[in-house]
Amino acid sequence: MAGTQSLSTFLVWLMATAIGGAVASNYYAQPLLDSIATEYGVSYGAVGIIVTVAQIGYGIGLLLLVPLGDKFEKRNLICIMTLISASGLLISGLSPSLPFLLLGTGITALFSVVTQLLIPFGAQLARPEMRGRIVGVLMSGLLMGILLGRSVSGGLSEFGSWRIVYFVAAVFMSLVAFLLWKLLPQHRNEKQVSYAELLLSVGRLFAQEPVLRSRSVMGALSFGLFALFWTPLSFLLSAPPYEYSNAVIGLFGLTGAAGALSAGWAGRLADKGRSSLAVVLGLVIMLGSWIPLGFSPVSIIALVVGVIFLDFAVQLVHVSNMNIIIKLHPEQRSRLNAGYMTAYFVGGASGSFISAHIYEDYGWLGITLTGFGISLLALTLGLNGLHREKRSA
């Protein structure tokens, strides 16, 4: 990595750290929901909106902010977005009530899409022969942020209230922004495209590409299931018979390490032209994961097994979809990525929103039955979409 002209080994790992820290900020609240609900005196359904706001904010940022990377100078844009995201974390930590916490969460999530600027920027700066390796390091930062965000959050909260998590994260991301500003090279695109044209082209791609539409539906449903499970998990684990602390609840994020394994496997299958097989396997495993998850209230082993299967399946579907989508129009990868990821996080926001209310009204049985039903729908639509892709190929 040191052989690249614009990227040192340290800078590559700094970018990976920035990516992990930014994406983790959208997961800090999940193991803290019970503590937040207790402090503010609100219901589980009300506090579950925190996760929904994070997902919606990220989805809006993907659609409205990520295309700016094709218009403005990248280093300054990345650093400004990172600092604004850090300011949202500070607002969350200082929030006197749930509405202020939602405001801070929304700001952080909206600008945490800086991750989707850093990854292509790293690929652009890398020498061609090093590009795959560098992008792999940056993607590992993304996956580790998702996996460790809950664990770090739960652990830090044990040193004080849940607010300390946001204070530490705000300082950390501010430091990262400063280092990025000092070390990233400046870069502006030679070809200037208007902001309106960038946004309109994303819509045109959805209208023109049935593969993008079908893969976006699969992605949205799979990430919706991911959020459907993780959002109410802290409620389940903080109640009898478990009564776990925030730190222990956060450790369950580590069980998602299977997702990192499936990402590499999906990439190898894609290189062999077998992305469709990976998607089908992912959708089938996703459906089957709800069987052990249904026994979560009485068996911690069943919960762990179900988590491993679910995270493995979601990442398998996601990485396989991405490998197909970026090949549609190589010159418009950023916009294809923005379109797919917007649908992906809209699905996550929807899953978060309905999960807290389902758990409050119907308990874990309601979560399990809903998850199984949506998984069955995803498998049906996925097989139908793959059949249409095969016929049109």
Side-chain angles (χ1 to χ4, degrees), residues 314-334:
V314 170
Q315 287 298 327
L316 193 59
V317 172
H318 176 51
V319 175
S320 301
N321 284 342
M322 289 295 294
N323 273 294
I324 292 297
I325 288 169
I326 62 175
K327 294 177 183 178
L328 296 176
H329 298 284
E331 73 284 358
Q332 299 184 66
R333 282 174 177 166
S334 293

Side-chain angles (χ1 to χ4, degrees), residues 51-372:
V51 183
T52 304
V53 168
Q55 301 289 3
I56 291 175
Y58 197 88
I60 293 173
L62 285 168
L63 185 62
L64 300 182
L65 298 182
V66 170
L68 293 176
D70 290 336
K71 184 173 179 62
F72 295 112
E73 195 280 314
K74 287 185 172 61
R75 185 193 69 172
N76 289 339
L77 181 62
I78 286 169
C79 294
I80 290 170
M81 288 177 63
T82 303
L83 282 174
I84 296 175
S85 184
S87 72
L89 290 167
L90 183 60
I91 292 172
S92 295
L94 295 171
S95 58
S97 61
L98 182 58
F100 279 93
L101 180 54
L102 294 176
L103 173 64
T105 298
I107 293 173
T108 296
L110 185 66
F111 289 92
S112 67
V113 294
V114 68
T115 57
Q116 301 301 325
L117 296 177
L118 281 163
I119 293 173
F121 191 29
Q124 190 171 15
L125 293 174
R127 287 179 176 174
E129 66 272 17
M130 301 292 292
R131 187 166 294 144
R133 184 179 175 187
I134 288 174
V135 170
V137 172
L138 299 181
M139 283 300 298
S140 70
L142 181 71
L143 288 172
M144 291 308 294
I146 294 174
L147 296 176
L148 297 180
R150 303 179 190 88
S151 302
V152 170
S153 174
L156 282 176
S157 69
E158 293 299 299
F159 292 95
S161 78
W162 56 267
R163 297 176 186 274
I164 195 173
V165 176
Y166 291 98
F167 294 143
V168 172
V171 172
F172 176 75
M173 292 309 295
S174 297
L175 176 61
V176 166
F178 173 75
L179 292 174
L180 289 173
W181 182 77
K182 295 288 289 184
L183 297 175
L184 279 177
Q186 289 188 313
H187 186 277
R188 183 184 293 273
N189 292 318
E190 295 180 3
K191 184 179 179 181
Q192 291 296 303
V193 182
S194 70
Y195 181 59
E197 176 58 26
L198 286 172
L199 296 183
L200 288 172
S201 63
V202 175
R204 282 198 296 268
L205 285 169
F206 266 109
Q208 296 168 0
E209 291 293 343
V211 173
L212 176 61
R213 294 195 299 272
S214 64
R215 297 286 176 157
S216 294
V217 169
M218 277 188 272
L221 290 174
S222 66
F223 197 52
L225 287 164
F226 184 85
L228 179 79
F229 165 77
W230 281 105
T231 300
L233 181 63
S234 64
F235 305 146
L236 175 70
L237 295 179
S238 61
Y242 299 118
E243 298 183 313
Y244 291 152
S245 66
N246 289 340
V248 175
I249 294 172
L251 288 175
F252 276 82
L254 297 177
T255 60
L261 298 176
S262 68
W265 188 39
R268 290 192 293 273
L269 287 175
D271 290 338
K272 298 177 182 179
R274 306 180 74 182
S275 285
S276 295
L277 173 61
V279 169
V280 172
L281 286 174
L283 293 172
V284 171
I285 295 171
M286 193 182 303
L287 178 65
S289 69
W290 290 98
I291 297 175
L293 287 176
F295 292 94
S296 297
V298 295
S299 172
I300 199 67
I301 295 176
L303 172 60
V304 171
V305 170
V307 171
I308 292 173
F309 283 155
L310 180 64
D311 282 12
F312 186 92
V314 170
Q315 287 298 327
L316 193 59
V317 172
H318 176 51
V319 175
S320 301
N321 284 342
M322 289 295 294
N323 273 294
I324 292 297
I325 288 169
I326 62 175
K327 294 177 183 178
L328 296 176
H329 298 284
E331 73 284 358
Q332 299 184 66
R333 282 174 177 166
S334 293
R335 279 162 275 183
L336 286 165
N337 183 46
Y340 171 78
M341 291 301 294
T342 298
Y344 192 72
F345 276 88
V346 167
S350 301
S352 299
F353 179 76
I354 66 172
S355 65
H357 293 282
I358 290 173
Y359 184 82
E360 191 169 41
D361 294 335
Y362 303 104
W364 194 255
L365 178 61
I367 294 292
T368 303
L369 293 177
T370 303
F372 190 86

